[in-house]
Amino acid sequence: MRISDRHLAVTVWGLGVTQIVGYGTLYYSFSILAPEMARDFSWSLEWVYGALSAALLAGGLAAPLTGRGIDRYGAGRVMTAGSVAAAISLAACALAPERTSFFMALLALQVASGLVQYNAAFALLVQVAPNRAQRSITHLTLIAGFASTLFWPLTTLLHEHMTWRAVYFAFAAANLLICLPIHWRLSLLSRRSLTAAAKPVATEAAVEEADVPVPPEMPLRVEGSLPVALRPKGFVLMAAGFTLMSFVLSALLVHMVPMLGAIGLGALAVLVGTVFGPAQVLARFVNMIFGAGMPPARLAIVAAFSLSLAIIVLLASAPWLGGAIVFALLFGAGSGLNSIVQGTLPLTLFGSDGYGVLVGRITGIRLVVAAAAPFVFAFISEQFGVHAALAATAMVGAGSVVAFMLVARLAGSSPARD
């Protein structure tokens, strides 16, 4: 089966909508609602973020299992089940009468997030059109980049008139009414693609050897660029780079609005935060137009460097508004490019076979480490100040730059394929 360009475009736009709702309701809203959660449960804000870190850890531990499920049952089915699980988990958080039940619901929420967010969406695009997946992933991240731009101010607006519990109920409804129908429809497409992929297919090498044209209905597998002997080392370096970069992103995105307020921006923090989303989209658009030929490993270096540079700019300029806007632009650009390379770099280095399992393993590793980021950032901020927390985060980001430089060097040293 070969998916038409029109159906692929519908798939990308449908996933774009669900990613906006998914990230907005399950992730970006938390920092806006966390202070009231802390008051409601008589917790310190530090411990509310500690609960989130533990929940992110649970999501990371579940990621390899999710990846195997994606390869076995299809990403569409997994995302359909994930929409239901996300809605139930949000409602459970809203209904929680005390800390323990809230914590258990938050654990379930982050496990459900892994079923509906980028990794599952990327896998669906790889399953339905492997040879066009890199471009499709770029288009998807271009659309989904507006999640923070929409949901930080939307959550703030809703919270002015509703309790955090009522906001979570509304977000549960959004996952059921918006995401579930789209994921169910895409699951049918994913299922047909998996059925077609189970039939014998021609690889690029076999086609070249036979020297015959490939019919449109005969899909080609995408083969990885790394030789088998270099793949273990490549995997370790790539996982390290994504893990360190995810730590930086997790630490700052969860704390973005309150952190900007703490360094002196006050009420302007939400305004500066809204620059982050358009910066993601702009970086992805520029990459799509001008960076199509850039290897994903080099793009990963640019992404990691942008994150670290953004934090340095903020440290040097705070509380100047202009510096904060430059920070949001750079940090948004780094985050936007990171979302692309999370999908394209594994595909380029290792190929499309077993993509779900591979991405699940990487996600599990990076989330296990990055899960601690919100708590660590909050702890350092409370004990030593927000500037110290930012400096420590910038150093972690520098480590990701080094890791991706080594990945690029490894990929560049690989013998060319005939």
Side-chain angles (χ1 to χ4, degrees), residues 50-355:
L52 176 63
S53 291
L56 290 171
L57 174 61
L61 293 174
L65 180 62
T66 299
R68 287 194 291 271
I70 286 171
D71 278 346
R72 182 173 180 180
Y73 301 109
R77 283 183 176 180
V78 170
M79 297 184 81
T80 301
S83 295
V84 177
I88 293 173
S89 300
L90 283 165
C93 285
L95 291 170
E98 37 73 42
R99 298 175 185 176
T100 302
S101 56
F102 171 75
F103 176 64
M104 298 304 295
L106 196 61
L107 290 178
L109 184 64
Q110 288 307 314
V111 173
S113 297
L115 304 177
V116 296
Q117 292 178 343
Y118 269 150
N119 288 334
F122 293 162
L124 191 146
L125 292 174
V126 170
Q127 287 175 351
V128 301
N131 293 287
R132 290 176 282 175
Q134 289 196 43
R135 186 168 181 82
S136 297
I137 288 171
T138 301
H139 289 170
L140 172 61
T141 58
L142 193 66
I143 301 166
F146 289 105
S148 61
T149 303
L150 293 173
F151 272 86
W152 272 331
L154 175 61
T155 305
T156 300
L157 178 63
L158 291 175
H159 196 214
E160 290 176 357
H161 305 284
M162 303 163 64
T163 67
W164 74 267
R165 295 177 185 273
V167 172
Y168 261 20
F169 273 126
F171 288 168
N175 278 272
L176 281 180
L177 298 177
I178 299 174
C179 298
L180 178 59
I182 295 175
H183 288 156
W184 177 80
R185 183 67 184 86
L186 294 180
S187 73
L188 301 179
L189 177 63
S190 177
R191 203 178 312 167
R192 289 197 297 269
S193 297
L194 282 176
T195 301
K199 300 176 182 178
V201 296
T203 63
E204 290 173 299
V207 172
E208 290 178 2
E209 184 175 309
D211 195 26
V212 294
V214 183
E217 66 274 7
M218 186 179 291
L220 298 177
R221 288 193 182 94
V222 177
E223 297 183 352
S225 62
L226 279 184
V228 174
L230 294 179
R231 292 190 174 191
K233 184 177 181 181
F235 178 84
V236 170
L237 290 173
M238 181 177 64
F242 282 135
T243 296
L244 295 174
M245 192 152 53
S246 293
F247 185 98
V248 174
L249 287 165
S250 181
L252 266 64
L253 288 179
V254 170
H255 292 281
M256 178 74 77
V257 175
M259 178 271 294
L260 290 171
I263 63 171
L265 290 170
L268 294 174
V270 174
L271 174 63
V272 174
T274 58
V275 176
F276 170 80
Q280 287 191 109
V281 174
L282 179 61
R284 293 164 182 167
F285 182 76
V286 170
N287 174 68
M288 182 179 68
I289 300 299
F290 300 106
M294 180 181 290
R298 292 184 186 175
L299 192 62
I301 296 172
V302 175
F305 181 75
S306 297
L307 296 178
S308 295
L309 180 60
I311 300 173
I312 293 171
V313 169
L314 185 64
L315 282 169
S317 62
W320 181 45
L321 177 60
I325 292 175
V326 172
F327 155 78
L329 289 170
L330 287 171
F331 201 77
S335 175
L337 297 178
N338 169 64
S339 298
I340 295 173
V341 295
Q342 278 187 24
T344 59
L345 185 56
L347 182 64
T348 301
L349 296 180
F350 301 99
S352 61
D353 286 346
Y355 179 86

